[in-house]
Amino acid sequence: MATVISISYVCVLAALTVFGLHRLHLVLLVLWHRRDAPTPAEPRAWPAVVVQLPLYNEATVAARLIDAVAALDYPPERVEIQVLDDSNDETREIVDERVAWHRGLGVPIEVLRRPKRKGFKAGALAYGLEQSTGELIAIFDSDFVPGADFLRQTVPHFVDPQLGLVQGCWGHLNRDASLLTRVQALALDAHFRIEQAARSRSQRFFNFNGTAGVWRREAIVGAGGWAADTITEDLDLSLRAQLTGWRFRFQEEVLVPAELPEDLAAFRAQQRRWTRGSGQTARKLLGHVWRTPGVLLRARIEATFQLLLNVAYPLLLLLVLTSVPLVALGSPLLTLQWVLFGLATLSVTAFYVASQRHRGWSGLVEGLGLTPLLFAYGIGLSLSNGLAYLQGLFGGETDFVRTPKRGATAKRYQTRPEARFALAELGLAAYSFGGLGLGLWLGHPTAAPFLALIGIGFLVVGGRTLFPSSSREPEEAPATAPEPQLSS
């Protein structure tokens, strides 16, 4: 048993180190490759664009999104706005009122409602696609607020006939609302400004992020269309489209601010959906990534890392479970932990801190200070995210659980805290602290800092799940939204 535990421990550490070094590789790619080309000149004839707004029970943010999209600066005769509303609550009345108001101003906007909410978001997008004819398809989720110049910044890039997607960069409406939102902003900045930028600039595969992007209709249709057999329909379609030869472009300067989850239950639900969906997509497409002819090797490798990245969660959990027995055995392998885990930690720290370059020195310093807390949250969520990824990878049943939005006026659609995970996480915190105490008692302090970080991570996530706190007082959302102060 000691041999099995030791071998497992070394293999897990080695795998986590590979993932960490991959993050450092992405940082180097961003620094090595020049920034994407600037926006081309405006076309003589603007192509027809369909703007899709998939909504489901978003009473607190629906009006804000519709108002922002109605203000897009684009020839009105060349744009069609579809509000794909699957709501069954007061969101319907808010949507109808706001759409009617903008239609009265001459905005080309309509509400489309399906007879049955089949296929969740993927089904809604496919339904809207069938009802439209535009060459380009822009998509915005309910918690995003695109700037008026979004289409004028993205559409000219489609002068390249092989370009299938332009993805914008997410910003953050409520970055400073709490420590949790600041940590999320750091993680998302790293994803976009390092991961997406590195992949785009070096001609590797990267994914559409589900919102704040513009598709070429031909790319969607040619790749087989939207599919609802995974809950990350964006990642699924992205890989299928790129495997058929379409190129994608990430535009870092096209910033679209969005709302971050402000409570841990909502954040956990979001992370579980993303990790589970990536497992489903890995099961569906990883084989195709390697069997499809004509794909660059670097694109295959990067797609593999993208699909398997969340396996780090169950690996981290396994590392936790094997560390304490090795402490009890006084194993010399614990010294290896400092070398490999330290290497992985430094690589990932560079990954997160480098993503704050756009914010200047203050951003770099804040990123460095927030990274340990981000590690703690990642460790604390390794149980729920690890199980979600394995469930997706091995075909467990799943449902689409959306991330609840707060908006500017109310706290609504709260996600219920998952006590089962919180109790298990507190148990893992006790297990880690127990291993820490055992090691100190036996005179084996090598793993003490690592076990302390693990214990704190599980304690914070489990404790905040059972005893949530909020900086805002909940209010009731209005039945209808106030009239916007926008120019036509």
Side-chain angles (χ1 to χ4, degrees), residues 52 54 82 84 86 114 118-129:
Q52 295 186 320
Q82 295 179 334
L84 306 173
D86 285 339
R114 298 183 289 166
K118 181 180 180 181
F120 306 110
K121 179 181 175 180
L125 295 173
Y127 180 78
L129 196 66

Side-chain angles (χ1 to χ4, degrees), residues 40 48 54 106 149 162 193 211 231 236 276 342 376 386 433 481:
D149 61 348
Q162 294 302 311
R193 297 181 183 274
T211 178
I231 53 175
D236 172 36
R276 185 183 298 143
F433 286 132

Side-chain angles (χ1 to χ4, degrees), residues 243 291-297 300:
L243 287 172
R291 290 194 300 267
T292 302
V295 178
L296 295 174
L297 178 60
R300 296 184 199 272

Side-chain angles (χ1 to χ4, degrees), residues 263-456:
D263 65 89
L264 189 60
F267 178 56
R268 184 198 293 275
Q270 180 194 69
Q271 295 300 304
R272 279 179 58 79
R273 186 179 77 246
W274 288 354
T275 53
R276 185 183 298 143
S278 69
Q280 291 175 323
T281 308
R283 185 181 76 250
K284 177 180 178 179
L285 294 180
L286 187 55
H288 292 285
V289 167
W290 288 96
R291 290 194 300 267
T292 302
V295 178
L296 295 174
L297 178 60
R298 63 175 178 266
R300 296 184 199 272
I301 294 174
E302 191 58 42
T304 301
F305 268 106
Q306 189 173 7
L307 291 172
L308 297 181
L309 180 62
N310 286 317
V311 80
Y313 286 115
L315 288 178
L316 185 56
L317 188 60
L318 183 57
L319 187 67
V320 173
L321 296 176
T322 55
S323 293
V324 174
L326 290 179
V327 167
L329 293 170
S331 173
L333 287 175
L334 292 173
T335 305
L336 182 65
Q337 181 182 86
W338 280 100
V339 179
L340 295 183
F341 193 75
L343 185 60
T345 300
L346 290 175
S347 300
V348 176
T349 299
F351 171 74
Y352 288 120
V353 174
S355 72
Q356 301 304 298
R357 292 177 303 153
H358 67 289
R359 301 178 62 210
W361 283 107
S362 62
L364 292 172
V365 172
E366 183 185 45
L368 186 61
L370 288 175
T371 297
L373 186 57
L374 180 56
F375 286 157
Y377 272 112
I379 291 169
L381 290 171
S382 63
L383 175 63
S384 58
N385 284 355
L387 293 176
Y389 183 78
L390 294 175
Q391 184 183 27
L393 188 63
F394 295 110
E397 293 185 5
T398 186
D399 196 2
F400 187 97
V401 180
R402 66 182 181 83
T403 305
K405 319 299 188 305
R406 296 180 64 124
T409 59
K411 181 179 180 181
R412 302 290 301 278
Y413 312 120
Q414 284 184 293
T415 302
R416 296 180 62 182
E418 297 191 72
R420 55 176 179 149
F421 284 122
L423 293 174
E425 286 153 0
L426 292 177
L428 287 168
Y431 178 78
S432 302
F433 286 132
L436 169 61
L438 178 64
L440 295 177
W441 182 61
L442 294 175
H444 305 309
T446 309
F450 173 68
L451 290 172
L453 178 62
I454 290 172
I456 291 171

